[in-house]
């Protein structure tokens, strides 16, 4: 959770979920899971806490939005520049 709202972890967002090969399956997964009735979110990279299906969808919305990343990321562009630089190179060599 970042500033009282759920977000996707920046490393996961930049280096895994950014891939056009991953996004369609991620979108399907978010849609499927957001149909469940839950009141707690337990992410791998942040502490668990209260959360709803709508908050899950909101957390993934910037990740699933089209590029450019700087306009969609829940983090400041300067804060994630290194991750973006790494991702750009991984995209060029078709790792992601």
């Amino acid at each position: 959770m970042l500033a009282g709202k759920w977000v996707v972890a920046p490393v996961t967002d930049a280096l895994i979920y950014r891939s056009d090969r991953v996004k369609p399956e991620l979108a399907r997964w978010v849609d499927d899971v957001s149909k469940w009735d839950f009141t707690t979110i337990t992410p791998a990279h942040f502490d668990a806490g209260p959360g709803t299906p709508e908050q899950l969808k909101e957390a993934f919305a910037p990740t699933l939005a089209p590029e450019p990343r700087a306009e969609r990321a829940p983090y400041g562009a300067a804060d994630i520049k290194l991750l973006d630089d790494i991702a750009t190179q991984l995209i060029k060599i078709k790792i992601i």
Side-chain angles (χ1 to χ4, degrees):
M1 204 177 280
L2 181 68
K5 96 181 218 186
W6 288 105
V7 296
V8 173
V11 171
T12 307
D13 179 71
L15 302 180
I16 298 171
Y17 296 155
R18 188 170 177 187
S19 168
D20 288 336
R21 296 185 307 233
V22 172
K23 277 187 183 181
E25 183 61 21
L26 178 63
R28 185 204 57 78
W29 179 84
V30 170
D31 185 56
D32 286 351
V33 173
S34 66
K35 292 175 184 170
W36 301 352
D37 182 24
F38 57 85
T39 58
T40 301
I41 295 177
T42 307
H45 300 284
F46 296 121
D47 291 338
T52 65
E54 186 58 37
Q55 288 174 311
L56 176 78
K57 288 172 86 171
E58 288 171 8
F60 278 95
T63 299
L64 294 171
E67 298 292 337
R69 179 175 168 70
E71 293 177 10
R72 69 173 174 80
Y75 319 99
D79 293 338
I80 55 171
K81 182 174 180 348
L82 176 62
L83 291 174
D84 281 344
D85 291 347
I86 293 168
T88 298
Q89 296 307 313
L90 292 175
I91 290 168
K92 283 182 185 175
I93 60 174
K94 299 184 182 195
I95 300 289
I96 63 171

